[in-house]
Amino acid sequence: EKDPIGGITVVWNIESGAGTLSATSTTTDDNGTASVVYTAGATVGTTKINATVPALQSSVSYTITVK
């Protein structure tokens, strides 16, 4: 397990689907955690959200299904 890193920028975007994010970027806390709030759109379907850490050239995607 690696030590958490605070102060790292995480860039968030909706790659596909509907809805909004509370921010386009956030910063990790002392525990290495960053978060954003997703608000679903009015349409049923799948939304794909990307979180990218430019400083580490790393990203992860989350898929949310709105019913």
Side-chain angles (χ1 to χ4, degrees), residues 3-6 28-34:
D3 292 328
I5 302 172
T28 59
D29 61 18
D30 291 339
N31 295 315
T33 302

Side-chain angles (χ1 to χ4, degrees), residues 24-59:
T24 55
S25 67
T26 57
T27 304
T28 59
D29 61 18
D30 291 339
N31 295 315
T33 302
S35 63
V36 70
V37 175
Y38 166 72
T39 302
T43 339
V44 172
T46 301
T47 299
K48 185 175 180 182
I49 299 171
N50 293 323
T52 304
V53 180
L56 302 176
Q57 299 180 350
S58 180
S59 66

